[in-house]
């Protein structure tokens, strides 16, 4: 029988961790939420920051202000680097540590280069606000560089954008970059025609949006192609360099490459010496606790949860939220001395992905939608899930603006030191 | 007689440079505007980004999109490092160069440490978007650090904020930081009371807002004090270190120091070997041309313009705009072969400064205003001058939100590498 969960420590203020905290607000429990950043990030819209459609503070909010009204919750800005399971302490990078009775690990994932970490500087992934502004800087700087280049041949790599990975993020990035080039930047340059830009989406598998049913993948393929995206299926990327990518054995010169291919869990499994799957996710018990540690839970992208149908719970926001609510309920039950709830069951709330600003695909299982209507549905769904009425207003205002004018508000090339190149220092 | 100004090169896309470009749009002239950043910055509101009230893209817009409709204007992203007056070429950092018939230098100013550049890492100034986000990061991180610190004495320097310089920027920064601590962050921390924060405004002179008439300085002094700002007059800062500042010979431990004391013009005077004043501003002719170079003009913070009353034209946005319009008219006159307009005369449009979000001082010369009404007037004036209806809407929305809720939207600690410290790397 585990101890009373008097002090609950939650590591990570993403969708999962925040949900646990909310579930345990206004209880007799003392809650401490630790995150290495001061903000919760609405990741599903991160690609819109990377493509200058939204500004950072529209999709990221201080965790402590989200939790300000819950007196039993303390928010700490700090980086967790390990867990002392023996003495039940969370270890911080700065040498400090925090004791826990119950621990929830919701530390998320980073992108994975499948053993080719040397590709990262040339093909950055999209997980954090910094990732997004860095990618935004590269995309916008590439056009500036092309405008400055007098030799037409030299321009080509600056006007070539390669997105690696045909999942929702890759599809959404490719579609939006195409619109940026053909619509937003149109007519602002004098030496180049931005609509000459080539956007290439590379997917090693046989179709894009593999998580959706086949007919939706086909629709997305057509819709993306109509936006001018050049989709390369069935060929893995075999090399990324400063000068471009190698697709199978064809080298494509490109100065801007974005990685949307794979993710790996943060190293929690190593902290706990727990069994993990190929992506580093802890293989948790049916109650999402870590095998051998009934007081330690793992949720979201750090947990590998097998569904009755044998497939894994997907690494998306709704799943992380459901797992957070479930763990919250378990901890409450333990506090109240009630019997634990039945094993976690994931409720599929459907999958959505946009293709540019006029089309989307929605797969609810029982019904599928495409086109303009699906896009509006996607828009309303995301506006609805944005935390805080004000952000909903601001984002809605932005989207309507972009929708009707094609203009994008967040087109800043910041972090001055490399404004003139499409490469970071 | 100067040559025909066929190709006009404008260096700098600030208030002055942009105004020249606008004035010369839709003429037979070929215009090239060169800036080292891709965005025009609405500097009067920069302090609101530094204090998390506004987000970056609300006060900075891509120069090329501001000028997109003017086919005769080309925008280039590039850093100018010199002028070859002999061959009439502007020299770029990357080795390139651009020929000009007429040149307008509107490169602005940086902050000046009066010979103590070693203070800059500890007391950053506020001139660019990067400056603003760095200062925002320091302010917010200081509170996070205080929350993490268990020793009460150790907390004090983290909760002490020193603003150096009692001009409008210093006053506006100090007032807003005080509000941030006493209102916005209130109740979000568990180990500290953010309203314990000390905000110190240091002014070497005998009064703050020295550019305003005395009664307004007194009002501002009272209003700032009411917000809890500790104002130190008549004492210069004699040292800035990682640990704090020395005011006269008293050392004040403080982890967050902001420099709002002095500015120096960019090195254009050196490029041209022209006579400059103490702040590096070129002493221009009555027509704003550089002595000995009738085809080269200097405007805004790069020009030292003496008014009939013997005083200098102030380094503020309206002055830069008026100078830009004037130079635009001269160039048009030359193109048309008309006589040059009479010498430049600065029209004083008044001075404004806010003290927090409920008071302001406005000095129109013929009338002065203080208090709540002045604040609203200030607000409307700035909303009005924001370029683009949409930004006006977004900023107005933000301000009303802050006004009524005390919440601030842009409280992000980004640039992860030092999220946990109040010092940059």
């Amino acid at each position: 029988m585990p101890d009373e969960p008097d002090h609950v420590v939650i590591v990570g203020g993403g969708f999962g961790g925040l949900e646990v905290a909310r579930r345990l607000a206004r209880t007799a429990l003392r809650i401490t939420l630790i995150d290495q950043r001061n903000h919760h990030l609405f990741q599903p819209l991160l690609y819109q920051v990377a493509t200058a459609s939204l500004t950072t503070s529209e999709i990221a909010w201080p965790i402590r202000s989200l939790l300000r009204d819950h007196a039993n919750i303390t928010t700490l800005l700090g980086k967790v680097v390990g867990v002392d399971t023996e003495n039940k302490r969370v270890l911080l990078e700065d040498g400090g540590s925090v004791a826990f009775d119950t621990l929830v690990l919701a530390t998320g994932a980073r992108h994975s280069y499948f053993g080719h970490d040397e590709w990262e500087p040339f093909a950055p992934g999209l997980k954090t606000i910094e990732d997004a502004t860095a990618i935004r800087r590269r995309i916008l700087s590439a056009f500036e560089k092309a405008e400055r280049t007098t030799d037409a041949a030299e321009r080509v790599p600056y006007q070539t954008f390669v997105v690696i990975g045909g999942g929702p993020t890759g599809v959404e990035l490719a579609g939006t970059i195409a619109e940026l080039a053909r619509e937003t930047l149109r007519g602002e340059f004098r030496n180049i025609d931005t609509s000459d830009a080539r956007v290439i989406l590379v997917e090693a598998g046989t179709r894009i949006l593999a998580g959706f049913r086949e007919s939706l993948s086909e629709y997305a393929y057509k819709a993306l192609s109509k936006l001018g995206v050049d989709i390369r299926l069935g060929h893995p990327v075999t090399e990324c360099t400063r000068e471009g990518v190698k697709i199978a054995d064809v080298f494509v010169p490109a100065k801007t490459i974005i990685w949307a291919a794979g993710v790996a869990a943060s190293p929690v499994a190593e902290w706990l010496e727990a069994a993990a799957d190929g992506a580093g996710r802890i293989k948790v018990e049916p109650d999402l606790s870590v095998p051998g540690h009934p007081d330690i839970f793992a949720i979201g992208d750090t947990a590998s949860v097998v569904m009755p149908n044998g497939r894994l719970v997907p690494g998306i926001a709704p799943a992380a939220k459901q797992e957070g609510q479930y763990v919250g309920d378990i901890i409450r039950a333990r506090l109240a001395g009630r019997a634990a709830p039945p094993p976690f069951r994931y409720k599929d709330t459907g999958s959505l992905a946009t293709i540019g600003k006029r089309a989307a695909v929605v797969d609810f299982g029982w019904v599928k939608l495409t086109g303009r209507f699906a896009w509006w549905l996607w828009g309303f769904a995301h506006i609805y899930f944005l935390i805080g009425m004000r952000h909903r207003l601001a984002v809605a205002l932005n989207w309507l603006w972009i929708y009707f004018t094609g203009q994008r508000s967040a087109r800043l090339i910041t972090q001055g030191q490399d404004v003139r190149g499409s490469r970071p220092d």
Side-chain angles (χ1 to χ4, degrees), chain A:
Chain A
M1 178 59 204
D3 339 347
E4 280 237 327
D6 303 304
H7 184 212
V8 179
V9 172
I10 303 165
V11 184
F15 287 105
L18 214 49
E19 209 60 35
V20 178
R22 290 228 172 80
R23 211 65 162 189
L24 299 177
R26 304 201 181 74
T27 63
L29 295 164
R30 200 157 50 84
I31 315 294
T32 302
L33 190 152
I34 308 174
D35 198 292
Q36 59 181 316
R37 306 180 173 275
N38 84 320
H39 50 272
H40 167 76
L41 179 61
F42 195 85
Q43 273 196 356
L45 292 178
L46 193 55
Y47 80 95
Q48 297 213 349
V49 172
T51 51
S53 303
L54 292 177
T55 172
T56 50
S57 57
E58 281 167 336
I59 63 160
W61 318 287
I63 295 164
R64 64 171 67 259
S65 74
L66 295 175
L67 299 172
R68 67 185 296 155
D69 299 336
H70 308 309
N72 65 322
I73 303 177
T74 302
T75 307
L76 285 186
L77 180 65
K79 181 168 184 160
V80 172
V81 292
V83 178
D84 175 350
T85 53
E86 198 68 21
N87 306 301
K88 301 190 90 172
R89 298 190 78 86
V90 162
L91 310 174
L92 298 169
E93 190 182 45
D94 61 10
S97 73
V98 180
F100 65 83
D101 298 303
T102 301
L103 175 64
V104 182
L105 295 167
T107 50
R110 286 290 300 168
H111 23 263
S112 155
Y113 290 83
F114 309 127
H116 286 286
D117 291 354
E118 72 274 13
W119 292 353
E120 181 156 27
F122 313 119
L126 185 62
K127 277 276 166 206
T128 67
I129 282 286
E130 289 77 17
D131 293 339
T133 51
I135 288 174
R136 180 180 72 189
R137 184 175 70 249
R138 288 184 183 212
I139 294 171
L140 296 174
S141 299
F143 285 105
E144 296 293 341
K145 198 85 175 173
E147 175 83 347
R148 288 280 311 278
T149 306
T150 43
D151 175 342
E154 249 182 63
R155 276 186 195 138
V156 174
Y158 288 110
Q159 288 196 274
T160 306
F161 301 84
V162 177
V163 178
I164 303 170
T169 302
V171 166
E172 292 174 325
L173 276 170
T176 316
I177 295 172
E179 277 182 353
L180 192 69
R182 282 161 187 64
E183 202 167 333
T184 308
L185 301 181
R186 198 99 195 248
E188 291 191 10
F189 292 77
R190 303 289 175 249
N191 308 325
I192 60 168
D193 177 352
T194 57
S195 45
D196 292 345
R198 283 173 69 210
V199 181
I200 302 173
L201 179 64
V202 188
E203 167 57 46
T206 56
R207 63 186 177 110
I208 58 174
L209 298 182
F212 293 64
R213 71 183 77 180
E214 209 136 352
S215 62
L216 293 179
S217 297
E218 282 157 23
Y219 173 85
Y221 187 100
K222 288 198 195 73
L224 262 186
S225 307
K226 233 171 84 191
L227 285 179
V229 176
D230 168 359
I231 306 169
R232 310 278 181 92
L233 294 176
H235 295 300
V237 165
T238 53
E239 200 183 4
C240 295
T241 74
R242 178 176 302 278
E243 300 310 325
V245 291
K246 207 173 205 177
I247 303 170
D249 41 24
V250 183
F251 184 79
V252 179
K255 290 287 189 181
T256 312
I257 310 167
I258 306 172
W259 187 264
V263 297
S266 47
V268 283
E270 296 157 32
W271 298 347
L272 302 171
E273 289 156 356
D277 68 8
R281 292 174 292 226
I282 296 177
K283 296 178 172 171
V284 292
E285 302 283 359
D287 70 352
L288 306 185
S289 67
V290 176
H293 301 284
D295 300 324
I296 303 180
F297 299 87
I299 61 175
D301 288 343
T302 47
S304 170
V305 183
V306 184
M307 295 189 281
N309 65 9
R311 293 175 56 195
L312 287 183
V313 172
I316 57 178
K321 282 182 168 180
Q322 290 177 29
E323 291 171 6
Q325 288 159 1
Y326 177 84
V327 167
D329 291 341
I330 284 196
I331 296 172
R332 292 178 78 120
R334 287 184 184 175
L335 179 70
R338 288 196 312 268
F344 173 75
R345 282 192 75 100
Y346 169 62
K347 286 170 236 53
D348 185 350
T349 53
S351 329
L352 306 85
T354 52
I355 301 116
K357 72 180 195 186
R358 286 190 184 80
V361 293
V362 178
D363 191 343
F364 284 127
W366 52 277
V367 63
K368 60 180 165 65
L369 302 164
T370 61
R372 221 173 250 275
F373 175 72
W375 184 87
W376 283 97
L377 186 76
W378 170 89
F380 284 118
H382 281 73
I383 295 272
Y384 175 80
F385 286 118
L386 282 178
I387 298 162
M389 192 52 207
R390 193 174 147 291
H391 286 100
R392 290 180 199 163
L393 264 176
V395 171
L397 183 70
N398 252 325
W399 284 349
L400 290 173
W401 184 261
I402 294 168
Y403 189 83
F404 291 113
T405 68
Q407 283 312 300
R408 287 178 155 77
S409 62
R411 280 171 45 200
L412 300 185
I413 301 178
T414 50
Q415 295 156 39
Q417 56 278 23
D418 68 305
V419 288
R420 278 174 315 289
S422 64
R423 297 274 163 238
D425 335 44

